[in-house]
């Protein structure tokens, strides 16, 4: 069955050949959806017929947000830690141990219910593709369980056994890395597309360059593609390692050297910025302008997690990127859609061109600019396909 979506005041395609600028924006547009794919895009006046028709009354339509960095499999509540941080306590990643303890005690159904609620919350705000990491189990069985549950909601699952060193391995990091790269990886690889590591020599809880390399190389040898938590708290070796090993994405990129920026500019590795973290930890933002001006491909994601940033809203992160990181509204929207797709190496999402997945988001506004212009207002919703006509 095909559906003609018409009355689109402004259509963002992310296909420069279709319209204005990098967003390929088309005014007064229409689009035909057939079998969950975009079948036709163009000016409303030249639209073909379809089985059913939806008129959006001049609203803007964009590709669904691609949230390429989240930690949604967890239990427990860390709002008290947030409160303490807002009163001046520092963030160093140590609170993750609290989530690990709560997650280990939770039943499958408790984790599943919570995970599905968060994914639903994201979809209600316009996110149609989400990556989900493990990393709060930190044992062979618990990490495999987290990924098995994540696989129920997304194909973009990431093994993050090297999130932090769990309490029972404190002082024995190299033994823990052997566990992660050995039996844990073997148990998790069947449920994961990606492997990730929290590369941060400045944190006593995370992993240095050598350990991070061991985790990434083992994951790659097990058939997983690579992404890295890099340069969040200090200008460490994460970005250089991500580029050297051909990772799809280096995430955070808050503290970069000139060599890091140069390496990213010459590589296929996307710099994924997570401004919700800096907002929620009251830390300096990454220098998005420096990256963009150097020609680096930039993505935006939420990093939705129970500690350092518990927002599920891509629109909120986009508003932060515009207001506090000086990205233009167009750059921020591209980064939150096509940029996220690049960070996941996906060609079927993050754009609305013929053949792409029909992940349409409707704004209760005439232009995408309203996303950052009206922060905190729930403008975005996913356009679900109309039910087939009753017989
Ligand atoms: Zn993260």
């Amino acid at each position: 069955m095909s559906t003609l979506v018409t009355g689109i005041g402004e259509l963002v395609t992310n296909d420069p050949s279709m319209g204005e600028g990098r967003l390929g924006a088309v005014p007064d547009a229409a689009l035909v959806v057939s079998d969950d794919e975009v079948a036709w895009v163009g000016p409303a006046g030249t639209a073909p017929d379809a089985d059913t028709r939806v008129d959006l009354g001049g609203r803007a339509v964009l590709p669904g947000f691609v949230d390429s960095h989240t930690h949604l499999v967890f239990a427990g509540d860390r709002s008290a830690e947030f409160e303490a941080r807002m009163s001046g306590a520092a963030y160093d990643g140590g609170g993750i141990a609290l989530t690990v303890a709560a997650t280990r005690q939770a039943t499958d159904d408790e984790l599943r219910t919570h995970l599905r609620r968060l994914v639903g919350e994201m979809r209600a705000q316009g996110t149609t593709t989400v990556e989900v990491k493990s990393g709060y189990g930190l044992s062979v069985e618990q990490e495999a369980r987290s990924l098995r549950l994540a696989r129920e909601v997304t194909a973009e699952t990431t093994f993050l056994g090297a999130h932090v060193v769990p309490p029972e391995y404190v002082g024995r990091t190299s033994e823990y890395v052997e566990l992660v790269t050995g039996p844990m990886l073997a148990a998790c690889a069947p449920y994961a597309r990606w492997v990730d590591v929290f590369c941060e020599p400045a944190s006593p809880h995370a992993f240095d360059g050598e350990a991070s390399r061991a985790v990434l190389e083992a994951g790659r040898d097990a058939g997983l593609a690579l992404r890295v938590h890099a340069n969040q708290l200090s200008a460490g070796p994460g970005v250089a390692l991500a580029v050297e090993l051909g990772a799809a994405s280096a995430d955070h990129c808050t503290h970069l050297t000139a060599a890091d920026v140069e390496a990213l500019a010459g590589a296929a590795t996307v710099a994924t910025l997570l401004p919700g973290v800096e907002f929620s930890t009251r830390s300096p933002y990454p220098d998005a302008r420096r990256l963009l001006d150097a020609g680096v491909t930039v993505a935006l994601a939420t990093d939705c997690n129970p500690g350092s940033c518990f927002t599920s809203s891509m629109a909120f992160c986009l508003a932060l990127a515009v207001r506090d990181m000086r990205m233009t509204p167009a750059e921020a929207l591209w980064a939150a859609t096509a940029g996220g797709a690049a960070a996941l190496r996906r060609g079927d999402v993050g754009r609305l061109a013929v053949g792409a997945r029909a992940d349409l988001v409707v704004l209760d506004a005439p232009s995408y600019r309203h996303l950052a212009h009206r922060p905190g207002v729930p403008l975005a919703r996913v356009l679900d396909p109309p039910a087939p006509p009753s017989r």
Side-chain angles (χ1 to χ4, degrees):
M1 193 185 79
S2 61
T3 303
L4 171 63
V5 183
T6 189
I8 303 174
E10 178 184 73
L11 175 67
V12 173
T13 64
N14 283 340
D15 179 352
S17 74
M18 288 301 306
E20 194 192 321
R22 201 181 187 193
L23 293 182
V26 186
D28 300 320
L31 181 150
V32 175
V33 175
S34 181
D35 296 329
D36 299 325
E37 280 190 5
V38 177
W40 184 89
V41 180
T46 62
D49 269 341
D51 300 329
T52 59
R53 194 182 170 100
V54 176
D55 189 329
L56 295 177
R59 292 177 175 81
V61 168
L62 2 142
F65 295 125
V66 179
D67 193 346
S68 60
H69 185 139
T70 83
H71 305 251
L72 303 184
V73 187
F74 68 89
D77 179 77
R78 282 163 61 193
S79 54
E81 177 188 323
F82 173 75
E83 184 179 46
R85 203 161 59 228
M86 290 303 103
S87 308
Y91 177 75
D92 72 349
I96 292 171
L98 292 175
T99 301
V100 172
T103 303
R104 286 174 172 178
Q105 281 174 19
T107 65
D108 285 12
D109 272 344
E110 284 165 347
L111 291 178
R112 181 182 283 122
T113 301
H114 190 227
L115 168 64
R116 287 178 183 268
R117 189 175 67 73
L118 288 171
V119 170
E121 187 178 283
M122 290 176 158
R123 188 171 173 87
Q125 299 172 88
T127 298
T128 49
T129 303
V130 62
E131 179 262 17
V132 177
K133 301 176 197 299
S134 68
Y136 297 118
L138 309 185
S139 72
V140 174
E141 294 74 20
Q142 292 276 354
E143 284 294 297
R145 171 171 83 141
S146 293
L147 286 161
R148 181 167 47 77
L149 294 170
R151 218 350 110 74
E152 294 177 2
V153 299
T154 183
E156 303 296 345
T157 51
T158 300
F159 170 47
L160 183 58
H163 193 189
V164 292
V165 178
E168 63 273 20
Y169 277 90
V170 165
R172 297 188 294 140
T173 300
S174 59
E175 277 178 60
Y176 183 64
V177 171
E178 279 176 32
L179 178 72
V180 169
T181 56
M184 197 186 284
L185 174 63
C188 289
Y191 304 108
R193 179 178 179 212
W194 305 94
V195 62
D196 193 349
V197 56
F198 185 8
C199 179
E200 187 53 80
S203 167
H205 313 287
F207 300 88
D208 64 14
E210 195 187 342
S212 298
R213 175 187 292 277
V215 169
L216 294 169
E217 289 184 345
R220 184 185 61 191
D221 293 347
L224 305 183
L226 315 185
R227 34 204 334 103
V228 183
H229 279 70
N231 299 51
Q232 177 184 359
L233 305 174
S234 68
V239 164
L241 196 57
V243 170
E244 182 200 325
L245 297 179
S249 182
D251 296 42
H252 286 288
C253 294
T254 310
H255 299 271
L256 299 178
T257 64
D260 290 329
V261 176
E262 199 178 322
L264 285 166
T269 303
V270 173
T272 299
L273 308 183
L274 310 163
V277 175
E278 281 77 30
F279 178 86
S280 300
T281 58
R282 200 175 276 142
S283 307
Y285 287 94
D287 192 343
R289 281 262 54 92
R290 183 186 184 199
L291 289 166
L292 288 163
D293 294 346
V296 175
T297 302
V298 170
L300 286 169
T302 62
D303 198 7
C304 184
N305 75 81
S308 61
C309 177
F310 198 12
T311 185
S312 55
S313 170
M314 287 292 283
F316 174 67
C317 296
L318 188 149
L320 290 181
V322 171
R323 162 65 175 77
D324 288 338
M325 301 200 304
R326 299 177 188 277
M327 291 173 73
T328 67
E331 285 168 339
L333 177 58
W334 191 94
T337 51
L344 293 173
R345 301 225 163 124
R346 291 276 296 267
D348 59 333
V349 298
R351 64 198 184 97
L352 291 174
V354 172
R357 246 171 58 174
D359 291 337
L360 274 64
V361 160
V362 183
L363 294 189
D364 264 328
S367 165
Y368 71 86
R369 294 178 185 85
H370 285 238
L371 280 168
H373 184 43
R374 306 196 65 207
V377 182
L379 297 176
R381 68 180 159 91
V382 176
L383 183 70
D384 287 312
S390 51
R391 293 167 190 272

